[in-house]
DNA sequence: GCTAGCTGATGCCCG
DNA sequence: AACGGGCATCAGCTAGCG
């Protein structure tokens, strides 16, 4: 209105922006990247996504849900729904100010919690604080390598051509409910193998890659030790952020070798590392079997197993120590095994898919088949209840559980959000349409809904939809409807469709089938 | 005209 | 723009059936 320039730059310049993309794991988001001279802009939404890629524990990524998850929401915090902000501003400005203030406080607390490791990374890698938050770990390792080669005035190699190579050893030996489960894993498997066998990039003529890995590992252990000794809470927090920044790097050194764009990538070396890993884990499985244990599930660097019989009774401390010492001393130099979990029972389903019951009664669920966001909330809850019953040996309660869910669907007892699936647009709508036109992509409900809505959607946006109709077999992309268009007074969710989804889960996870213990 | 069963693409998860 | 391995779902197709 008054043509006042937004001179936020420390040199008095105005903010500039350009379209950009950021990706964490399989999630890519389009956004407007802003730059303000002499300042750093970090979107806490991105930090929340980066956190969730490794933890996968958040229910949603908005500020409110994140604040609740990290336990930083004020207990008496003010909430104002988005569509009531203008009205509240006019009628009750005080409460709107409280709402905004609470938002700012939560954002600050999130930032304090999640951005600190990037603050330390910015001191270590040749990227700014702002840039560090939107760069992947392999890119940062590349930058560290390039910086040192430039400093020593050495020529840089070209990246090697990518080729597929084998990964970790994954297997499942028993399925169903199994009692008394122990877990062990190899501490830092790939970094340990790399250092023990000198497995680094062939193009690294200066030999700095493995030195860097070793220094980072030693530095991290030192930071962890200082953290343990520190009496001051804020110092402990800082040291924790510092050591976790190093942990991320250390674990990415192997990944860097298989990184197509990495100047020092080395697919032969990456393949040798995973091969050594597979051989080591196979030897561990053999040792466990030879010594009376029953391996149940294995994934890359960890094994779930039933310990030998003499470790099961009371007063088994001596047998336990004998077993563990024997296992440790059977391992090669430089390889340490950790016994880091004991569980009342395990429900072993398929590779990378299992559930655990802790001695505190907590149920831990792992794997896409059992906890994926691709499942609707009612499916996840149904599965969790089935799994808890089975882990606790209460199979007789399962038919009642199934009946309860069937009734709820038939009688339309739940809000439609329980039935809705939430999916992320991986591509922009234009990219989707281009792929469709090329014939390379089938129709997909989320994209069709986004297109039909006429609203602006970007890659990375999430949409929730449910399925309408009255037959169990429907083309989802034709019968789908956005949750935001749902009318509670004229319910149209497809009852037979959702009943059949429930029946599918029952067939797989219910009782009275072939889900008993099965030795392969 | 219908459906079971297969294939390939996609989405999400494990370590 | 870290890696490979894995499971479930859906669209789109084909074979087989009545």
């Amino acid at each position: 209105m008054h043509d006042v320039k937004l001179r936020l730059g420390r040199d008095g310049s105005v903010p500039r922006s350009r379209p950009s993309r950021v990706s964490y794991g399989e999630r890519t988001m389009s956004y407007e990247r802003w730059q303000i001279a002499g300042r750093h802009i970090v979107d806490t939404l991105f930090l929340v996504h980066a956190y969730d890629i490794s933890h996968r524990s958040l229910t949603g990524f908005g500020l409110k849900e994140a604040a609740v998850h990290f336990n930083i929401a004020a207990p008496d915090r003010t909430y104002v729904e988005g569509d009531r902000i203008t009205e509240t501003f006019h009628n009750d400005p005080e409460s709107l100010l409280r709402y905004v203030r609470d938002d700012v406080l939560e954002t600050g607390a999130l930032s304090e919690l999640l951005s600190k490791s990037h603050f330390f990374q910015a001191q270590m890698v040749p990227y700014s604080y702002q840039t560090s938050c939107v760069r992947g770990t392999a890119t940062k390792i590349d930058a560290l390598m390039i910086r040192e080669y430039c400093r020593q005035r050495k020529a840089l190699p070209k990246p090697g051509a990518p080729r597929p190579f084998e990964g970790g050893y994954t297997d499942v030996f028993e399925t169903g409910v199994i009692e008394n489960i122990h877990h062990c894993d190899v501490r830092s498997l790939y970094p340990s193998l790399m250092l023990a066998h000198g497995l680094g990039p062939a193009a690294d003529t200066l030999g700095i890659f493995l030195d860097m890995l070793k220094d980072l590992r030693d530095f991290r252990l030192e930071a962890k030790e200082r953290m343990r000794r520190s009496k001051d809470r804020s110092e402990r927090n800082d040291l924790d952020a510092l050591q976790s920044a190093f942990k991320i790097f250390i674990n990415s050194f192997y990944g860097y070798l298989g990184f197509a764009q990495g100047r020092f990538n080395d697919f032969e070396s990456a393949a040798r590392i995973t091969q050594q890993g597979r051989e080591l884990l196979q030897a561990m499985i053999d040792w466990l079997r030879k010594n009376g244990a029953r391996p149940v599930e294995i994934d890359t660097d960890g094994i779930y197993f039933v310990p030998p019989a003499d470790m099961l009774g009371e007063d088994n401390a001596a047998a336990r120590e004998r077993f563990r010492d024997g296992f440790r001393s059977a391992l090669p130099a430089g390889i340490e095994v950790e016994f880091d979990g004991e569980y009342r029972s395990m429900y072993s389903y398929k590779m990378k898919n299992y559930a655990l019951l802790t001695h505190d009664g907590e149920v831990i669920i792992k794997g896409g088949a059992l906890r994926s966001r691709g499942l609707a909330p009612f499916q996840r809850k149904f599965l969790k209840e089935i799994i808890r019953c089975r882990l606790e040996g209460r199979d007789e309660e399962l038919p009642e559980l199934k009946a309860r869910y069937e009734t709820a669907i038939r009688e339309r007892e739940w809000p439609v959000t329980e039935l809705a699936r939430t999916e992320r647009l991986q591509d922009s709508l234009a990219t989707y349409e281009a792929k469709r036109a090329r014939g390379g992509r089938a129709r997909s409900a989320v994209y069709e809904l986004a297109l039909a809505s006429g609203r602006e959607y970007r890659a990375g946006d999430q949409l929730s939809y449910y399925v309408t109709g009255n037959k169990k077999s429907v083309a989802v992309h034709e019968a789908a409807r956005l949750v935001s268009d749902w009318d509670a007074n004229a319910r149209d969710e497809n009852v037979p469709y959702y009943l059949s989804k429930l029946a599918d889960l029952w067939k797989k996870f219910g009782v009275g089938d072939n889900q008993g213990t099965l030795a392969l």
Side-chain angles (χ1 to χ4, degrees):
Chain A
M1 217 195 285
H2 301 291
D3 202 26
V4 176
K5 291 269 187 286
L6 191 63
R7 298 190 188 280
L8 295 180
R10 294 177 73 178
D11 60 357
S13 62
V14 297
R16 286 172 299 136
S17 83
R18 60 183 166 83
S20 187
R21 287 163 84 81
V22 62
S23 83
Y24 301 99
E26 70 278 349
R27 293 178 208 168
T28 303
M29 290 169 279
S30 301
Y31 75 109
E32 198 67 14
R33 179 180 175 142
W34 286 91
Q35 263 169 312
I36 304 178
R39 306 193 188 278
H40 298 264
I41 304 164
V42 173
D43 193 332
T44 51
L45 174 65
F46 296 166
L47 300 178
V48 167
H49 273 287
Y51 172 89
D52 190 62
I53 284 295
S54 50
H55 293 77
R56 304 225 179 232
S57 51
L58 280 129
T59 50
F61 309 104
L63 179 60
K64 315 292 177 291
E65 278 158 303
V68 170
H69 180 269
F70 290 108
N71 205 18
I72 51 176
D76 51 351
R77 159 196 220 306
T78 309
Y79 289 101
V80 179
E81 290 302 323
D83 55 3
R84 301 206 46 216
I85 287 178
T86 306
E87 179 198 324
T88 311
F89 176 68
H90 288 304
N91 302 335
D92 185 9
E94 285 304 313
S95 89
L96 189 71
L97 288 177
R98 277 200 304 278
Y99 163 74
V100 171
R101 185 185 150 79
D102 284 336
D103 264 14
V104 170
L105 290 175
E106 283 179 0
T107 307
L110 261 187
S111 168
E112 187 67 17
L113 209 61
L114 299 177
S115 76
K116 215 161 235 176
S117 106
H118 290 286
F119 184 78
F120 287 109
Q121 286 180 48
Q123 299 169 42
M124 187 162 67
V125 302
Y127 285 121
S128 72
Y129 176 40
Q130 172 170 345
T131 304
S132 169
C133 294
V134 292
R135 283 283 191 279
T137 46
T139 308
K140 290 173 188 161
I141 292 173
D142 207 38
L144 288 174
M145 295 293 292
I146 291 169
R147 176 173 65 185
E148 185 58 15
Y149 271 70
C150 288
R151 196 182 69 80
Q152 299 201 29
R153 308 192 64 79
K154 294 281 183 194
L156 291 166
K158 251 187 4 183
R163 66 134 168 122
F165 62 93
E166 258 186 270
Y169 174 24
T170 306
D171 214 340
V172 58
F173 305 109
E174 296 185 28
T175 60
V177 176
I178 302 149
E179 291 187 355
N180 226 305
I181 294 284
H182 288 213
H183 183 258
C184 64
D185 77 3
V186 180
R187 190 176 285 165
S188 307
L189 175 65
Y190 289 164
S192 302
L193 290 171
M194 291 164 80
L195 290 172
H197 297 102
L199 294 167
D204 176 23
T205 49
L206 294 178
I208 59 175
F209 188 83
L210 291 177
D211 282 349
M212 219 151 64
L213 175 59
K214 187 173 182 310
D215 287 350
L216 287 170
R217 196 174 72 161
D218 293 346
F219 195 95
R220 171 167 182 248
L221 292 177
E222 190 194 311
K224 277 183 89 166
E225 187 51 40
R226 268 160 58 206
M227 179 176 86
R228 263 193 290 274
R229 280 201 311 264
S230 172
K231 300 265 188 293
D232 179 60
R233 218 191 107 185
S234 109
E235 188 185 52
R236 274 204 309 274
N237 279 345
D238 280 7
L239 287 167
D240 193 32
L242 184 63
Q243 71 87 13
S244 77
F246 280 90
K247 181 182 179 178
I248 295 164
F249 270 106
I250 291 161
N251 290 333
S252 303
F253 270 64
Y254 147 73
Y256 173 81
L257 295 173
F259 175 41
Q261 281 76 30
R263 285 206 175 50
F264 294 86
N265 63 9
D266 186 341
F267 295 88
E268 308 301 321
S269 188
R272 271 196 290 275
I273 292 163
T274 58
Q275 189 194 343
Q276 298 266 1
R278 292 190 299 275
E279 285 169 10
L280 175 63
L281 269 288
Q282 182 61 60
M284 289 168 68
I285 294 278
D286 295 344
W287 190 93
L288 286 170
R289 288 215 173 101
K290 216 171 284 168
N291 288 271
R294 273 163 48 211
V296 173
E297 207 256 10
I298 173 174
D299 192 354
T300 309
D301 60 0
I303 307 170
Y304 290 97
F305 62 96
V306 180
D310 62 352
M311 269 173 68
L312 294 181
E314 301 282 306
D315 195 24
N316 56 18
R320 172 179 306 232
E321 279 321 300
R322 215 177 315 119
F323 178 81
R324 293 186 173 179
D325 286 345
F327 199 18
R328 283 193 194 97
S329 57
L331 296 171
I335 300 297
E336 286 175 64
V337 69
E338 260 181 320
F339 297 90
D340 61 352
E342 294 179 25
Y343 306 91
R344 260 159 65 184
S345 56
M346 174 175 191
Y347 173 61
S348 168
Y349 175 54
K350 291 183 178 177
M351 285 185 212
K352 296 177 190 277
N353 285 271
Y354 58 85
L356 299 159
L357 178 64
T358 70
H359 287 286
D360 299 334
E362 188 196 352
V363 173
I364 299 163
I365 297 179
K366 295 281 182 183
L370 307 179
R371 72 194 301 262
S372 172
R373 259 185 273 270
L375 295 167
F378 85 97
Q379 291 169 300
R380 291 203 290 266
K381 287 175 191 167
F382 185 54
L383 256 177
K384 188 161 188 182
E385 291 202 60
I386 291 181
I387 287 169
R388 180 176 277 282
C389 276
R390 299 202 53 182
L391 284 172
E392 294 179 347
R394 295 183 286 109
D395 286 6
E396 69 281 2
E397 295 175 26
L398 287 172
E400 191 275 326
L401 174 68
K402 179 185 168 224
R404 181 151 52 85
Y405 273 72
E406 279 172 347
T407 306
I409 292 171
R410 206 173 280 120
E411 304 296 324
R412 305 179 192 269
E413 290 172 9
W414 298 321
V416 81
T417 46
E418 284 297 307
L419 306 173
R421 280 176 62 165
T422 301
E423 274 178 61
R424 180 180 308 281
L425 299 174
Q426 301 290 340
D427 295 322
S428 70
L429 298 183
T431 307
Y432 169 74
E433 286 187 298
K435 284 188 184 173
R436 286 276 311 139
R438 277 210 324 268
R441 203 194 199 293
R443 286 195 188 279
S444 158
V446 264
Y447 289 93
E448 297 296 325
L449 286 167
L451 285 166
S453 76
R455 283 190 286 270
E456 293 274 326
Y457 283 104
R458 295 189 296 192
D461 286 347
Q462 283 183 309
L463 286 88
S464 295
Y465 67 91
Y466 65 102
V467 174
T468 63
N470 44 35
K471 290 195 316 206
K472 80 167 184 169
S473 303
V474 287
V476 173
H477 65 96
E478 286 168 9
R481 196 171 175 199
L482 287 176
V483 165
S484 48
D485 293 335
W486 179 62
D487 180 357
N489 299 313
R491 297 188 62 141
D492 56 355
E493 75 265 26
N494 187 331
V495 170
Y497 173 84
Y498 286 110
L499 284 174
S500 95
K501 289 284 163 206
L502 198 71
D504 288 346
L505 288 179
W506 181 254
K507 218 160 94 189
K508 280 192 239 171
F509 303 104
V511 279
D513 51 20
N514 61 355
Q515 289 290 317
T517 305
L518 172 72
L520 297 177

